Amino acid sequence: MMKGYDAGAFPPFAVTVDLAVFTVREGRLHVLLVERGEDPYKGAWALPGGFVRPKESAGLAARRELAEETSLSQDTVAGLHLEQLRTYSDPDRDPRMRVVSVAYTALVPDLPEPRGGGDAARAQWTPLDSAGRLAFDHDLILADAHHRVGAKLEYTCLATTFCPAEFTLGELQQVYETVWGVELDRPNFRRKVLTTPGFVEAVEGPPRRTGGRGKPAALYRAGAASALHPPLLRPEGRHA
């Protein structure tokens, strides 16, 4: 212990991690939720998470808790790009004691079905628009995380990872509309995508008929860019 420093002069508190993990399933934005198996809020739905152990970082704790509470494999969890969202430190956010939480978020395609584990009775993918009221302050964390992943689609090429290897611009637009929760103008979206360097590249060969009475649609694949310059911004005033 450092000389002259009295740790007992400060009240103890715990550090936890919470995770807002999103994916697109059947044309809807889903979030990974767990049913709490212990008090407080036993039986309520919440974001996956838990306490940081004395000898681990918040990042390691986030991956451990995600694996424990959802039974996702270690390889699956290790491969996720978790982005630190922010710290939540309201003194009354947890009825047990003073708890400060470091929240993480991710938007990831092709994640498997989860199963409950650890102190989570169940785990499931839940449509964001039907998530309902969550335990603790997880409604706030979820709203902040949704805004963050929406912003990632503005500045990165992440949306293409939710499309087939070869996709139409209509399929790409649907990903944006699903995550942002807004309807986009088709000609304007098409123009922005095709004039953004490296976003998509045309696939040689015949166009694909996508159903309905419209013309067959041209196919594209993800381009070489990882960031969008200029960004593809959501319509002003219509952020989800």
Side-chain angles (χ1 to χ4, degrees), residues 95-219:
R96 293 168 291 190
M97 62 180 296
R98 178 73 190 275
V99 175
V100 173
S101 182
V102 182
Y104 292 81
T105 190
L107 175 62
V108 188
D110 302 324
L111 286 178
E113 290 293 338
R115 302 185 308 276
D119 59 1
R122 287 190 293 163
Q124 68 180 33
W125 291 108
T126 301
L128 181 64
D129 55 11
S130 61
R133 186 71 179 269
L134 303 181
F136 304 103
D137 56 355
H138 290 185
D139 292 320
L140 173 61
I141 297 175
L142 182 57
D144 289 345
H146 184 205
H147 182 79
R148 174 69 64 86
V149 299
K152 285 190 72 68
L153 262 62
E154 294 181 325
Y155 294 94
T156 74
C157 300
L158 179 62
T160 60
T161 65
F162 291 87
C163 294
E166 297 181 353
F167 53 86
T168 67
L169 294 186
E171 289 170 329
L172 182 63
Q173 180 174 332
Q174 185 178 34
V175 175
Y176 277 90
E177 292 180 335
T178 298
V179 176
W180 286 350
V182 299
E183 186 174 341
L184 301 174
D185 178 74
R186 183 176 178 180
N188 192 40
F189 178 82
R190 178 184 177 87
R191 176 184 60 79
K192 289 181 177 180
V193 170
L194 295 181
T195 56
T196 301
F199 191 4
V200 299
E201 57 184 46
V203 175
E204 294 185 2
R208 186 209 303 168
R209 184 170 297 279
T210 57
R213 299 180 179 179
K215 295 180 180 179
L219 293 176

